[in-house]
Amino acid sequence: MDTIDVSNLNRQFLFREADIGKPKAVVAAEFVEKRVKGVKITPYYGAIQDKDEDYYMQFQQVICGLDSIEARRWINATLINMFDPSNVESLKPLIDGGTEGKSPPSRFNCFKGQSRVVLPTLSSCIECQLDMHAPRAAVPLCTLATIPRQPEHCIEWAHIIAWEEERKGDTLDTDDPEHIAWLYQKALKRAMEFSISGVTYSLTQGVVKNIIPAIASTNAIIAASCCNEAFKIATNTNPYLNNYMMYSGDDSVYTYTFEHERKEDCPVCGNLVKDLRVNGNWTLREFIDWMKEQPDTQGLKKPSLSKSGKSLYIQVPGLEQQTRPNLDKKLSELVFEGEEVAISDRALPVTLRYNLLFRK
């Protein structure tokens, strides 16, 4: 659902100034078809979550250049759930690439990227590799609420505080242009109140989706790596990547390839219940806040929790108000030692299952 922004023009060669505001998929398809005669591309402008398994089953492989961890986790789980051991055609290799660039507010040049190949159920999947993603840098709520100093603080205020206060019943969709525009207007007004400059629509989108803009050379290197892997898989001319390549351009050019091991307790490709050590004196609210900060559960937005058929906290209209009192109860009051708790979230394609073990 992404559209072309002026900030894209310095690092994405398929777009021109006249294309600003148009769907990236449509413009890219038209450009490539004009440049490479005989190529036929069918663009799709919409959320990847809107397509069912039949749509993805028609492809031989899937190449991702997504801009969020949530989207990567969704397509990863979808391809794994599609796999049928009795049907070899249902195995769809996933090739994923990502880049980073100047990370605000430090503006430190960290030109980095990675490419990886995932064979659903056979190799380490994206869920197994979540520890490779740095957790989102946290800003104290007191800073956001009282003394913002940077444009990013104003955007986070709109994202975390203003949205919850003014649109509590709505689930924030970071791929919805209307939602991003609303956050941008709120952040811009907040910035004006504190005489802070630099709040733009593209920066709002980047902060909310945790996008760190890269440079053209980094994008080209990672794109070339992904295309190389796609060619090798399609033609069987050479062994494909096994299974993770890291690139760094901070100081000269450095690459490192290694095999990221599959986790037997992965909730997606392993489908096993994981043990989770927690403080039994935490309230359910504190537990949820803590889970949002953990590498394995990045992307949690409005989680719902249940145990053995009983709802602990459900974030849907009607049920949320009924289960809200549990938020202030201690975990030790709500679950037994070692009891299984299921966590579901609209942002996650699977239900996470944990045995809660209380710290001594």
Side-chain angles (χ1 to χ4, degrees), residues 236-270:
N236 288 318
T237 53
N238 272 293
Y240 49 80
L241 177 66
N242 184 30
N243 50 21
Y244 203 107
M245 187 278 288
M246 299 176 63
Y247 161 79
S248 175
D250 289 0
D251 183 10
S252 70
V253 175
Y254 174 78
T255 62
Y256 177 66
T257 301
F258 67 98
E259 180 181 0
H260 194 292
E261 294 186 2
R262 183 181 176 192
K263 292 184 176 179
E264 295 300 326
D265 61 351
C266 174
V268 176
C269 67

mmCIF file of all heavy atoms in Angstrom, residues 236-270:
data_model
loop_
_atom_site.group_PDB
_atom_site.id
_atom_site.type_symbol
_atom_site.label_atom_id
_atom_site.label_comp_id
_atom_site.label_asym_id
_atom_site.label_seq_id
_atom_site.Cartn_x
_atom_site.Cartn_y
_atom_site.Cartn_z
ATOM 1 N N ASN A 236 18.672 -23.569 -10.384
ATOM 2 C CA ASN A 236 19.505 -24.623 -9.808
ATOM 3 C C ASN A 236 20.926 -24.602 -10.366
ATOM 4 O O ASN A 236 21.582 -25.640 -10.479
ATOM 5 C CB ASN A 236 18.880 -26.009 -10.050
ATOM 6 C CG ASN A 236 17.651 -26.235 -9.209
ATOM 7 O OD1 ASN A 236 17.611 -25.885 -8.034
ATOM 8 N ND2 ASN A 236 16.618 -26.814 -9.821
ATOM 9 N N THR A 237 21.425 -23.432 -10.720
ATOM 10 C CA THR A 237 22.762 -23.339 -11.298
ATOM 11 C C THR A 237 23.857 -23.341 -10.242
ATOM 12 O O THR A 237 24.993 -23.698 -10.528
ATOM 13 C CB THR A 237 22.890 -22.055 -12.141
ATOM 14 O OG1 THR A 237 22.496 -20.941 -11.341
ATOM 15 C CG2 THR A 237 22.019 -22.127 -13.383
ATOM 16 N N ASN A 238 23.517 -22.900 -9.023
ATOM 17 C CA ASN A 238 24.504 -22.835 -7.947
ATOM 18 C C ASN A 238 23.798 -23.008 -6.611
ATOM 19 O O ASN A 238 22.580 -22.761 -6.507
ATOM 20 C CB ASN A 238 25.241 -21.493 -7.963
ATOM 21 C CG ASN A 238 26.462 -21.505 -8.847
ATOM 22 O OD1 ASN A 238 27.431 -22.197 -8.562
ATOM 23 N ND2 ASN A 238 26.407 -20.750 -9.936
ATOM 24 N N PRO A 239 24.526 -23.424 -5.590
ATOM 25 C CA PRO A 239 23.903 -23.521 -4.262
ATOM 26 C C PRO A 239 23.423 -22.150 -3.794
ATOM 27 O O PRO A 239 24.102 -21.152 -3.983
ATOM 28 C CB PRO A 239 25.040 -24.038 -3.380
ATOM 29 C CG PRO A 239 26.005 -24.681 -4.319
ATOM 30 C CD PRO A 239 25.925 -23.888 -5.589
ATOM 31 N N TYR A 240 22.258 -22.139 -3.177
ATOM 32 C CA TYR A 240 21.726 -20.872 -2.672
ATOM 33 C C TYR A 240 22.286 -20.576 -1.282
ATOM 34 O O TYR A 240 22.923 -21.425 -0.649
ATOM 35 C CB TYR A 240 20.193 -20.905 -2.627
ATOM 36 C CG TYR A 240 19.607 -22.130 -1.958
ATOM 37 C CD1 TYR A 240 19.537 -22.221 -0.576
ATOM 38 C CD2 TYR A 240 19.130 -23.193 -2.714
ATOM 39 C CE1 TYR A 240 19.021 -23.336 0.042
ATOM 40 C CE2 TYR A 240 18.603 -24.321 -2.105
ATOM 41 C CZ TYR A 240 18.554 -24.392 -0.739
ATOM 42 O OH TYR A 240 18.039 -25.508 -0.132
ATOM 43 N N LEU A 241 22.061 -19.368 -0.853
ATOM 44 C CA LEU A 241 22.577 -18.887 0.430
ATOM 45 C C LEU A 241 22.054 -19.736 1.586
ATOM 46 O O LEU A 241 20.868 -20.020 1.683
ATOM 47 C CB LEU A 241 22.145 -17.429 0.635
ATOM 48 C CG LEU A 241 22.515 -16.748 1.951
ATOM 49 C CD1 LEU A 241 24.025 -16.591 2.065
ATOM 50 C CD2 LEU A 241 21.829 -15.384 2.050
ATOM 51 N N ASN A 242 22.961 -20.095 2.484
ATOM 52 C CA ASN A 242 22.583 -20.891 3.663
ATOM 53 C C ASN A 242 23.132 -20.210 4.928
ATOM 54 O O ASN A 242 24.220 -20.513 5.371
ATOM 55 C CB ASN A 242 23.132 -22.311 3.554
ATOM 56 C CG ASN A 242 22.674 -23.181 4.712
ATOM 57 O OD1 ASN A 242 21.604 -22.990 5.259
ATOM 58 N ND2 ASN A 242 23.498 -24.153 5.087
ATOM 59 N N ASN A 243 22.341 -19.333 5.526
ATOM 60 C CA ASN A 243 21.067 -18.816 5.059
ATOM 61 C C ASN A 243 20.949 -17.311 5.325
ATOM 62 O O ASN A 243 19.924 -16.723 5.118
ATOM 63 C CB ASN A 243 19.903 -19.545 5.735
ATOM 64 C CG ASN A 243 20.060 -19.586 7.259
ATOM 65 O OD1 ASN A 243 20.779 -18.801 7.878
ATOM 66 N ND2 ASN A 243 19.397 -20.532 7.884
ATOM 67 N N TYR A 244 22.053 -16.682 5.809
ATOM 68 C CA TYR A 244 21.995 -15.284 6.241
ATOM 69 C C TYR A 244 23.279 -14.572 5.819
ATOM 70 O O TYR A 244 24.387 -15.046 6.083
ATOM 71 C CB TYR A 244 21.850 -15.216 7.764
ATOM 72 C CG TYR A 244 21.237 -13.941 8.304
ATOM 73 C CD1 TYR A 244 19.939 -13.935 8.794
ATOM 74 C CD2 TYR A 244 21.959 -12.752 8.342
ATOM 75 C CE1 TYR A 244 19.368 -12.770 9.305
ATOM 76 C CE2 TYR A 244 21.398 -11.590 8.844
ATOM 77 C CZ TYR A 244 20.108 -11.601 9.324
ATOM 78 O OH TYR A 244 19.546 -10.446 9.828
ATOM 79 N N MET A 245 23.145 -13.423 5.140
ATOM 80 C CA MET A 245 24.290 -12.605 4.743
ATOM 81 C C MET A 245 24.139 -11.205 5.314
ATOM 82 O O MET A 245 23.103 -10.567 5.139
ATOM 83 C CB MET A 245 24.401 -12.527 3.224
ATOM 84 C CG MET A 245 25.677 -11.829 2.711
ATOM 85 S SD MET A 245 25.603 -10.005 2.692
ATOM 86 C CE MET A 245 24.491 -9.707 1.340
ATOM 87 N N MET A 246 25.179 -10.744 6.004
ATOM 88 C CA MET A 246 25.181 -9.389 6.565
ATOM 89 C C MET A 246 26.172 -8.530 5.785
ATOM 90 O O MET A 246 27.267 -8.985 5.437
ATOM 91 C CB MET A 246 25.590 -9.428 8.046
ATOM 92 C CG MET A 246 24.670 -10.236 8.918
ATOM 93 S SD MET A 246 25.253 -10.337 10.635
ATOM 94 C CE MET A 246 25.191 -8.614 11.117
ATOM 95 N N TYR A 247 25.775 -7.289 5.521
ATOM 96 C CA TYR A 247 26.637 -6.345 4.820
ATOM 97 C C TYR A 247 26.796 -5.080 5.662
ATOM 98 O O TYR A 247 25.834 -4.605 6.276
ATOM 99 C CB TYR A 247 26.036 -5.971 3.464
ATOM 100 C CG TYR A 247 26.607 -4.697 2.876
ATOM 101 C CD1 TYR A 247 27.844 -4.703 2.246
ATOM 102 C CD2 TYR A 247 25.920 -3.486 2.987
ATOM 103 C CE1 TYR A 247 28.384 -3.522 1.742
ATOM 104 C CE2 TYR A 247 26.454 -2.312 2.485
ATOM 105 C CZ TYR A 247 27.694 -2.332 1.854
ATOM 106 O OH TYR A 247 28.219 -1.174 1.361
ATOM 107 N N SER A 248 28.016 -4.539 5.682
ATOM 108 C CA SER A 248 28.267 -3.277 6.374
ATOM 109 C C SER A 248 29.169 -2.414 5.507
ATOM 110 O O SER A 248 30.224 -2.865 5.040
ATOM 111 C CB SER A 248 28.930 -3.527 7.736
ATOM 112 O OG SER A 248 29.266 -2.296 8.348
ATOM 113 N N GLY A 249 28.743 -1.171 5.295
ATOM 114 C CA GLY A 249 29.536 -0.228 4.519
ATOM 115 C C GLY A 249 30.022 0.932 5.349
ATOM 116 O O GLY A 249 30.398 1.976 4.807
ATOM 117 N N ASP A 250 30.015 0.784 6.676
ATOM 118 C CA ASP A 250 30.479 1.862 7.564
ATOM 119 C C ASP A 250 31.938 2.216 7.295
ATOM 120 O O ASP A 250 32.307 3.380 7.204
ATOM 121 C CB ASP A 250 30.342 1.435 9.032
ATOM 122 C CG ASP A 250 28.890 1.369 9.473
ATOM 123 O OD1 ASP A 250 28.027 1.649 8.645
ATOM 124 O OD2 ASP A 250 28.656 1.045 10.641
ATOM 125 N N ASP A 251 32.755 1.178 7.195
ATOM 126 C CA ASP A 251 34.188 1.359 6.996
ATOM 127 C C ASP A 251 34.638 0.360 5.945
ATOM 128 O O ASP A 251 34.793 -0.822 6.245
ATOM 129 C CB ASP A 251 34.935 1.150 8.319
ATOM 130 C CG ASP A 251 36.424 1.403 8.194
ATOM 131 O OD1 ASP A 251 36.846 1.926 7.151
ATOM 132 O OD2 ASP A 251 37.158 1.070 9.143
ATOM 133 N N SER A 252 34.802 0.814 4.725
ATOM 134 C CA SER A 252 35.073 -0.030 3.558
ATOM 135 C C SER A 252 33.859 -0.927 3.288
ATOM 136 O O SER A 252 32.735 -0.561 3.606
ATOM 137 C CB SER A 252 36.359 -0.851 3.752
ATOM 138 O OG SER A 252 36.175 -1.865 4.730
ATOM 139 N N VAL A 253 34.080 -2.111 2.739
ATOM 140 C CA VAL A 253 32.979 -3.022 2.410
ATOM 141 C C VAL A 253 33.219 -4.343 3.130
ATOM 142 O O VAL A 253 34.281 -4.962 2.977
ATOM 143 C CB VAL A 253 32.877 -3.263 0.885
ATOM 144 C CG1 VAL A 253 31.813 -4.308 0.581
ATOM 145 C CG2 VAL A 253 32.560 -1.957 0.159
ATOM 146 N N TYR A 254 32.240 -4.763 3.910
ATOM 147 C CA TYR A 254 32.384 -5.993 4.700
ATOM 148 C C TYR A 254 31.114 -6.822 4.582
ATOM 149 O O TYR A 254 30.004 -6.307 4.721
ATOM 150 C CB TYR A 254 32.632 -5.652 6.169
ATOM 151 C CG TYR A 254 32.643 -6.848 7.085
ATOM 152 C CD1 TYR A 254 33.753 -7.684 7.160
ATOM 153 C CD2 TYR A 254 31.532 -7.162 7.858
ATOM 154 C CE1 TYR A 254 33.769 -8.794 8.000
ATOM 155 C CE2 TYR A 254 31.528 -8.263 8.703
ATOM 156 C CZ TYR A 254 32.659 -9.075 8.768
ATOM 157 O OH TYR A 254 32.649 -10.168 9.592
ATOM 158 N N THR A 255 31.284 -8.096 4.296
ATOM 159 C CA THR A 255 30.152 -9.025 4.285
ATOM 160 C C THR A 255 30.505 -10.251 5.119
ATOM 161 O O THR A 255 31.676 -10.634 5.222
ATOM 162 C CB THR A 255 29.780 -9.484 2.859
ATOM 163 O OG1 THR A 255 30.892 -10.181 2.274
ATOM 164 C CG2 THR A 255 29.392 -8.306 1.991
ATOM 165 N N TYR A 256 29.481 -10.850 5.688
ATOM 166 C CA TYR A 256 29.675 -12.051 6.497
ATOM 167 C C TYR A 256 28.471 -12.954 6.294
ATOM 168 O O TYR A 256 27.322 -12.515 6.414
ATOM 169 C CB TYR A 256 29.816 -11.685 7.975
ATOM 170 C CG TYR A 256 29.953 -12.875 8.895
ATOM 171 C CD1 TYR A 256 31.076 -13.702 8.833
ATOM 172 C CD2 TYR A 256 28.962 -13.185 9.824
ATOM 173 C CE1 TYR A 256 31.212 -14.798 9.669
ATOM 174 C CE2 TYR A 256 29.091 -14.273 10.665
ATOM 175 C CZ TYR A 256 30.226 -15.075 10.587
ATOM 176 O OH TYR A 256 30.344 -16.166 11.408
ATOM 177 N N THR A 257 28.736 -14.196 5.962
ATOM 178 C CA THR A 257 27.666 -15.175 5.720
ATOM 179 C C THR A 257 27.732 -16.270 6.775
ATOM 180 O O THR A 257 28.819 -16.771 7.086
ATOM 181 C CB THR A 257 27.806 -15.798 4.318
ATOM 182 O OG1 THR A 257 27.754 -14.769 3.341
ATOM 183 C CG2 THR A 257 26.672 -16.783 4.063
ATOM 184 N N PHE A 258 26.589 -16.618 7.317
ATOM 185 C CA PHE A 258 26.550 -17.694 8.308
ATOM 186 C C PHE A 258 25.191 -18.392 8.266
ATOM 187 O O PHE A 258 24.234 -17.881 7.675
ATOM 188 C CB PHE A 258 26.813 -17.148 9.714
ATOM 189 C CG PHE A 258 25.729 -16.246 10.239
ATOM 190 C CD1 PHE A 258 24.746 -16.733 11.086
ATOM 191 C CD2 PHE A 258 25.682 -14.905 9.874
ATOM 192 C CE1 PHE A 258 23.738 -15.904 11.570
ATOM 193 C CE2 PHE A 258 24.690 -14.068 10.348
ATOM 194 C CZ PHE A 258 23.720 -14.564 11.202
ATOM 195 N N GLU A 259 25.132 -19.538 8.883
ATOM 196 C CA GLU A 259 23.877 -20.282 8.975
ATOM 197 C C GLU A 259 23.222 -19.978 10.319
ATOM 198 O O GLU A 259 23.737 -20.364 11.367
ATOM 199 C CB GLU A 259 24.102 -21.775 8.837
ATOM 200 C CG GLU A 259 22.808 -22.586 8.917
ATOM 201 C CD GLU A 259 23.019 -24.078 8.800
ATOM 202 O OE1 GLU A 259 24.178 -24.510 8.653
ATOM 203 O OE2 GLU A 259 22.018 -24.824 8.875
ATOM 204 N N HIS A 260 22.101 -19.286 10.269
ATOM 205 C CA HIS A 260 21.341 -19.018 11.486
ATOM 206 C C HIS A 260 20.559 -20.279 11.828
ATOM 207 O O HIS A 260 19.771 -20.784 11.020
ATOM 208 C CB HIS A 260 20.392 -17.842 11.270
ATOM 209 C CG HIS A 260 19.822 -17.283 12.538
ATOM 210 N ND1 HIS A 260 18.929 -17.985 13.330
ATOM 211 C CD2 HIS A 260 20.031 -16.088 13.167
ATOM 212 C CE1 HIS A 260 18.603 -17.246 14.371
ATOM 213 N NE2 HIS A 260 19.255 -16.102 14.305
ATOM 214 N N GLU A 261 20.779 -20.795 13.020
ATOM 215 C CA GLU A 261 20.168 -22.064 13.387
ATOM 216 C C GLU A 261 18.678 -21.929 13.661
ATOM 217 O O GLU A 261 18.212 -20.911 14.181
ATOM 218 C CB GLU A 261 20.869 -22.648 14.615
ATOM 219 C CG GLU A 261 22.319 -23.038 14.367
ATOM 220 C CD GLU A 261 22.923 -23.737 15.566
ATOM 221 O OE1 GLU A 261 22.188 -23.952 16.567
ATOM 222 O OE2 GLU A 261 24.117 -24.072 15.511
ATOM 223 N N ARG A 262 17.967 -22.953 13.303
ATOM 224 C CA ARG A 262 16.530 -22.995 13.566
ATOM 225 C C ARG A 262 16.292 -23.239 15.053
ATOM 226 O O ARG A 262 16.996 -24.030 15.688
ATOM 227 C CB ARG A 262 15.906 -24.127 12.750
ATOM 228 C CG ARG A 262 14.406 -24.229 12.887
ATOM 229 C CD ARG A 262 13.885 -25.394 12.065
ATOM 230 N NE ARG A 262 12.459 -25.576 12.262
ATOM 231 C CZ ARG A 262 11.785 -26.641 11.858
ATOM 232 N NH1 ARG A 262 12.411 -27.612 11.216
ATOM 233 N NH2 ARG A 262 10.494 -26.731 12.079
ATOM 234 N N LYS A 263 15.317 -22.537 15.601
ATOM 235 C CA LYS A 263 14.976 -22.698 17.007
ATOM 236 C C LYS A 263 13.874 -23.747 17.157
ATOM 237 O O LYS A 263 12.803 -23.619 16.564
ATOM 238 C CB LYS A 263 14.509 -21.367 17.605
ATOM 239 C CG LYS A 263 15.602 -20.320 17.701
ATOM 240 C CD LYS A 263 15.103 -19.056 18.391
ATOM 241 C CE LYS A 263 16.218 -18.050 18.561
ATOM 242 N NZ LYS A 263 15.741 -16.793 19.217
ATOM 243 N N GLU A 264 14.155 -24.754 17.936
ATOM 244 C CA GLU A 264 13.170 -25.828 18.116
ATOM 245 C C GLU A 264 11.903 -25.334 18.799
ATOM 246 O O GLU A 264 10.825 -25.893 18.609
ATOM 247 C CB GLU A 264 13.788 -26.974 18.931
ATOM 248 C CG GLU A 264 14.941 -27.678 18.222
ATOM 249 C CD GLU A 264 14.518 -28.300 16.905
ATOM 250 O OE1 GLU A 264 13.370 -28.771 16.803
ATOM 251 O OE2 GLU A 264 15.342 -28.314 15.969
ATOM 252 N N ASP A 265 12.026 -24.281 19.602
ATOM 253 C CA ASP A 265 10.851 -23.759 20.306
ATOM 254 C C ASP A 265 10.250 -22.556 19.591
ATOM 255 O O ASP A 265 9.489 -21.791 20.189
ATOM 256 C CB ASP A 265 11.195 -23.383 21.745
ATOM 257 C CG ASP A 265 12.263 -22.299 21.836
ATOM 258 O OD1 ASP A 265 12.853 -21.959 20.787
ATOM 259 O OD2 ASP A 265 12.498 -21.785 22.950
ATOM 260 N N CYS A 266 10.569 -22.372 18.320
ATOM 261 C CA CYS A 266 10.000 -21.258 17.556
ATOM 262 C C CYS A 266 8.484 -21.398 17.515
ATOM 263 O O CYS A 266 7.958 -22.463 17.170
ATOM 264 C CB CYS A 266 10.557 -21.251 16.129
ATOM 265 S SG CYS A 266 9.783 -20.024 15.050
ATOM 266 N N PRO A 267 7.740 -20.353 17.847
ATOM 267 C CA PRO A 267 6.274 -20.458 17.867
ATOM 268 C C PRO A 267 5.650 -20.593 16.484
ATOM 269 O O PRO A 267 4.478 -20.929 16.379
ATOM 270 C CB PRO A 267 5.842 -19.137 18.535
ATOM 271 C CG PRO A 267 6.958 -18.188 18.246
ATOM 272 C CD PRO A 267 8.206 -19.020 18.270
ATOM 273 N N VAL A 268 6.426 -20.344 15.419
ATOM 274 C CA VAL A 268 5.875 -20.435 14.065
ATOM 275 C C VAL A 268 6.277 -21.740 13.391
ATOM 276 O O VAL A 268 5.429 -22.554 13.033
ATOM 277 C CB VAL A 268 6.325 -19.228 13.215
ATOM 278 C CG1 VAL A 268 5.836 -19.385 11.769
ATOM 279 C CG2 VAL A 268 5.771 -17.946 13.797
ATOM 280 N N CYS A 269 7.588 -21.963 13.202
ATOM 281 C CA CYS A 269 7.999 -23.189 12.504
ATOM 282 C C CYS A 269 8.175 -24.363 13.456
ATOM 283 O O CYS A 269 8.226 -25.519 13.031
ATOM 284 C CB CYS A 269 9.275 -22.955 11.702
ATOM 285 S SG CYS A 269 10.758 -22.627 12.688
ATOM 286 N N GLY A 270 8.273 -24.099 14.762
ATOM 287 C CA GLY A 270 8.370 -25.175 15.735
ATOM 288 C C GLY A 270 7.029 -25.502 16.359
ATOM 289 O O GLY A 270 6.755 -26.645 16.710
#
